[in-house]
Amino acid sequence: PLELSTEIVFGTTVDALPDDTPMCSSLDQYGPGVWYTVVGTGDRFEATTCNSGDETVTNFDTIISVFTGHCGELNCTLADDNFCGFQSKLVWLTEPGVTYYIVIHGDREGDFGLVVNKFTPSTTNDVCAGAQGPVFPTGDTIAGSTVGSSFDEVGECGVSNTSPGVWFFVVVRSNK
């Protein structure tokens, strides 16, 4: 079990036993994994191995997958591979009291630093490729500010832009 914190949880998949991690999106699920749980509060949570600075310990290509349900009957919430180089980052809207199973796995065994915390969108300028999110359509207003932002040449997004901006992206899931 994890508590929400900005502190890095140090872990390793070295000597972890392979398991039958269910498919979560179209990502290849390979390599041994380490499992954690966190209980939802109704807030957006972020799980990331994209840590930086002196405490960077992640030394392999990580994948983060998040599930709900019970062991043997897990349901994929979402997964990410390579959000920030070879590391991963997810943001998802939690339901109060629901247990979320987070598995860190990847292309091989290795050491990682994991942070699981409440997600706070950036209020500084983000280029299109580094947009904050995912933001899930809930009908809620997402507040932001362009104060302190600079001009962003959109380039790859293919739209005209002449002023500072803050970028977000939305993920829509089907109700299968």
Side-chain angles (χ1 to χ4, degrees):
L2 294 175
E3 298 293 326
L4 297 180
S5 174
T6 58
E7 298 295 316
I8 296 174
V9 174
F10 298 96
T12 185
T13 61
V14 174
D15 296 328
L17 298 174
D19 56 32
D20 293 327
T21 304
M23 290 299 291
C24 197
S25 78
S26 62
L27 296 177
D28 291 332
Q29 310 290 308
Y30 49 86
V34 177
W35 293 79
Y36 297 91
T37 59
V38 65
V39 177
T41 62
D43 294 310
R44 286 181 176 82
F45 285 2
E46 173 182 65
T48 181
T49 57
C50 300
N51 24 72
S52 60
D54 294 336
E55 297 186 84
T56 300
V57 298
T58 306
N59 62 10
F60 69 106
D61 184 357
T62 61
I63 297 173
I64 300 177
S65 300
V66 177
F67 298 90
T68 57
H70 302 284
C71 290
E73 297 179 18
L74 294 172
N75 301 308
C76 172
T77 300
L78 69 163
D80 180 68
D81 184 20
N82 301 336
F83 177 87
C84 48
F86 290 115
Q87 308 315 309
S88 303
K89 176 181 170 181
L90 294 173
V91 176
W92 74 101
L93 181 62
T94 66
E95 294 181 36
V98 171
T99 298
Y100 293 88
Y101 297 86
I102 302 168
V103 61
I104 308 300
H105 50 128
D107 65 337
R108 60 180 177 84
E109 295 178 338
D111 301 321
F112 60 87
L114 171 67
V115 175
V116 178
N117 200 7
K118 184 177 173 183
F119 173 72
T120 305
S122 171
T123 58
T124 59
N125 191 39
D126 295 310
V127 296
C128 174
Q132 296 292 312
V135 176
F136 296 101
T138 61
D140 296 337
T141 299
I142 304 294
S145 172
T146 58
V147 173
S149 295
S150 59
F151 175 74
D152 175 24
E153 288 201 38
V154 180
E156 65 190 79
C157 286
V159 296
S160 175
N161 182 29
T162 58
S163 61
V166 176
W167 293 87
F168 296 89
F169 69 95
V170 177
V171 172
V172 180
R173 292 179 277 167
S174 65
N175 292 329
K176 291 184 180 181

